[in-house]
Amino acid sequence: MSAHSHVDGQLPHEPEKATLEGRNKVLGFWLFLGAEVVLFGTLFSAFLALRDKVGDGNPTADELFNLSTVAIATFILLTSSLTSVFATQAMHAGKKMAMIWWLVITVLFGLGFLGLEIYEFSEYVHEGHGFTTSAFSSSFYTLVGFHGAHVAFGVLWISIIIGQVLKKGLTVVTAPKVYVSGLYWHFIDVVWVFIFTVVYLMGKVG
Amino acid sequence: MAAVNHSATEETKKRHKHEGPQKHIVAYIMSLILTLIAFAAVIAGEVNTSFIIFILLMMAGLQVFVQMGFWMHMKDKGHTYAIIGILGGIFIAGTMIIMAEFWAWW
């Protein structure tokens, strides 16, 4: 009784919820996101506790951060979240190629964000803000770097899903993966909202 | 088609109107405006630190509400367990953050 034997090749509406497996995947992913909230919450709490502990002569948040770089990164990630939701909408409309192109654009934005973050981190290291410089620098790189690692994983994951949809088509098996990776991408954007608020903007305010 | 029917739920059986992109573009523009307000508050600065931080946290909270509601579909029905999962995470994370912010250097 495989559920993906659509004789007319017509996908059901909301194909990610068409099978029990698909619905379970979405439910399980929400519980995973709840655990991710805890993970990032602990990293944020470590950062909040240590953000003033710079030590003698080491760069402070206010000296380091360049708000225009952060604004560009924020804009890139926010826009990629919009293209990701367009991919999910194209999937719901059964438009496979439109969905793939939106996913490709999302991945490219993700790569742009990563490039900017790598550039930013290398600038900081040049300015004497290494991983072990101070408690502030360690908690900063752990929190922001963990978010960057999530972006890198998302880029890899969505790329693999694009390959699988190209190979196997848009079915009730592949659709839940597209939907769930979209949830993941939005979640990464939501975490970034707190990072630019708590780390960068509050770092500038003091 | 009989093979498909066992898996069709109430939600998939009824015809969905395919929603246009307008709603999501509105959410995008709202997120952009909230972000701009936050950056502008910091650049304008010089007023009152705790007031600016209050504005920043308000803007972040609103933006998360918009994005999780519209883009992650949490405002749609059938998301009870999603909300429980996220609220459970926020409860534990919030405890940690309050501890770190107020009690770590007691």
Side-chain angles (χ1 to χ4, degrees), chain A residues 82 85-86 89, chain B residues 17-31 66 70-71 75:
Chain A
L82 181 71
V85 89
F86 284 164
Q89 280 199 311
Chain B
K17 314 185 275 292
H18 283 303
E19 46 185 31
Q22 300 90 342
K23 201 177 69 177
H24 295 301
I25 291 173
V26 170
Y28 176 68
I29 293 170
M30 278 172 74
S31 296
V66 168
F70 287 90
W71 289 349
K75 64 170 186 49

Side-chain angles (χ1 to χ4, degrees), chain B residues 24-82:
Chain B
H24 295 301
I25 291 173
V26 170
Y28 176 68
I29 293 170
M30 278 172 74
S31 296
L32 273 182
I33 292 172
L34 292 169
T35 306
L36 275 177
I37 293 174
F39 274 83
V42 171
I43 292 164
E46 307 296 325
V47 197
N48 178 337
T49 307
S50 52
F51 178 67
I52 293 177
I53 288 177
F54 173 75
I55 298 254
L56 292 181
L57 292 178
M58 284 291 289
M59 294 305 119
L62 281 174
Q63 188 167 167
V64 165
F65 211 71
V66 168
Q67 294 192 7
M68 290 191 115
F70 287 90
W71 289 349
M72 296 173 82
H73 309 279
M74 273 178 94
K75 64 170 186 49
D76 297 357
K77 66 176 164 53
H79 280 74
T80 317
Y81 285 106

